[in-house]
Amino acid sequence: MKYNVIYSPNFDKKRRSKKSIKFIVIHYTGMQSERESLIRLCNRKSNVSSHYFIKNNGKILKLVEDHHVAWHAGKSNWKNYKNLNKNSIGIELANKGHEFGYTNFKKKQLSSLIKICKALIKKYKIKRENVVGHSDIAPLRKIDPGEKFPWKKLANRKIGIWHNCNNKELTRSRKIKISIKFKSIFVKNLKKIGYYFFNKKKTKIFKIVKAFQRHYRQELIDGIIDKECLIIAKNLLKNSKKP
Ligand SMILES: [Zn+2]
């Protein structure tokens, strides 16, 4: 894998073991320019960093060595893991994000991302379902990499997971209301997938549902649990049980 090195001072100085690396967390920068993003990621005062940075033109920069903990995830939860920085590799994709003009990720950028993910998955034996978005692990605070991130395309390359539902059935089920009983089944399924529910406050569930939709039902992100969401979550779990 070809990359240039620009070191960020923002990382834990203690080395971590190879086997502590279990996740890849995908981000977008959410800033006006690549230059601005890099300055922030390498500024001692910002206290943020990532292991890799991928420019729009596909060029990869390495900011922090894999064997050091970079500061990209913040307060986060996934499955039984808490504060995922120590167990993950963080990858930042240049994109202005929802605040400054969210655009499709560039082809070259994505092909570089696929290359890096493939290499990391192999090197650290990362499970494909452990490639997640920042919004998945911090749904109350974050919305990156967002609904334009092509999770399905990546899943076709065995990076992350996707469903194999019938598309017609899904479209038919969109916005179809479901009973409270099925809503609670949906929440249970989301927990099994890895989403963390802090408590039962309605506003928070709304945000977690949105995070799920940004990842797996990108056509409509309304935070409402409908029949389509129910079907997708069930299917994801069924697939994950297959050997
Ligand atoms: Zn992020």
Side-chain angles (χ1 to χ4, degrees), residues 12-243:
D12 290 359
K13 299 297 174 284
K14 204 181 141 207
R15 278 177 83 110
R16 64 175 168 181
S17 69
K18 206 171 161 180
K19 61 172 197 281
S20 68
I21 300 171
K22 295 188 185 305
F23 297 92
I24 295 173
V25 181
I26 313 243
H27 304 259
Y28 69 44
T29 52
M31 292 184 81
Q32 288 283 13
S33 71
E34 291 181 345
R35 209 184 102 83
E36 224 182 301
S37 312
L38 274 169
I39 288 173
R40 179 168 146 80
L41 289 164
C42 296
N43 180 350
R44 200 176 288 278
K45 284 181 195 153
S46 76
N47 286 323
V48 294
S49 62
S50 64
H51 293 94
Y52 299 92
F53 179 96
I54 309 179
K55 293 185 173 192
N56 282 308
N57 66 10
K59 288 228 167 83
I60 304 170
L61 300 176
K62 180 162 208 165
L63 309 183
V64 174
E65 292 290 353
D66 297 353
H67 59 254
H68 285 295
V69 172
W71 303 339
H72 57 95
K75 191 173 169 357
S76 48
N77 298 77
W78 190 251
K79 295 178 181 167
N80 293 322
Y81 291 84
K82 226 179 166 176
N83 300 324
L84 272 80
N85 278 341
K86 54 184 184 292
N87 297 107
S88 66
I89 301 263
I91 302 176
E92 285 278 359
L93 299 168
N95 191 308
K96 290 185 184 177
H98 292 79
E99 205 176 331
F100 298 106
Y102 189 35
T103 54
N104 285 328
F105 293 91
K106 304 288 181 284
K107 256 194 184 150
K108 284 184 177 168
Q109 199 178 23
L110 292 170
S111 69
S112 293
L113 175 68
I114 289 171
K115 268 186 218 154
I116 296 191
C117 287
K118 286 250 171 220
L120 294 171
I121 284 172
K122 197 172 165 203
K123 186 168 182 186
Y124 300 110
K125 300 189 177 69
I126 295 168
K127 289 182 190 158
R128 65 179 293 180
E129 66 263 30
N130 283 356
V131 182
V132 293
H134 199 187
S135 57
D136 293 316
I137 63 168
L140 307 186
R141 300 185 297 118
K142 295 293 173 179
I143 56 172
D144 64 313
E147 63 280 6
K148 291 185 195 289
F149 185 79
W151 287 107
K152 186 181 177 184
K153 211 183 259 175
L154 264 75
N156 287 337
R157 310 292 301 271
K158 295 193 163 75
I159 302 163
I161 57 167
W162 193 252
H163 60 77
N164 57 359
C165 299
N166 176 301
N167 278 331
K168 272 190 190 152
E169 192 197 352
L170 289 185
T171 316
R172 267 201 308 270
S173 312
R174 189 166 303 162
K175 289 189 177 177
I176 302 285
K177 285 184 182 153
I178 57 170
S179 67
I180 290 180
K181 185 187 145 199
F182 283 110
K183 281 184 186 169
S184 72
I185 290 175
F186 173 79
V187 168
K188 269 186 204 151
N189 285 341
L190 249 57
K191 284 180 188 166
K192 284 184 198 160
I193 291 168
Y195 289 92
Y196 183 79
F197 286 73
F198 296 85
N199 59 35
K200 281 190 173 155
K201 268 197 191 145
K202 223 178 179 177
T203 51
K204 292 191 176 176
I205 291 181
F206 181 80
K207 284 199 167 177
I208 300 165
V209 175
K210 272 190 163 181
F212 169 82
Q213 292 170 339
R214 260 183 230 292
H215 192 139
Y216 295 109
R217 206 273 299 272
Q218 300 181 319
E219 297 83 357
L220 176 64
I221 296 136
D222 58 2
I224 297 167
I225 308 167
D226 60 17
K227 196 175 169 190
E228 185 182 21
C229 295
L230 182 76
I231 294 172
I232 293 171
K234 197 175 152 193
N235 182 280
L236 288 169
L237 276 173
K238 194 182 81 191
N239 288 347
S240 70
K241 277 178 199 136
K242 282 183 193 161

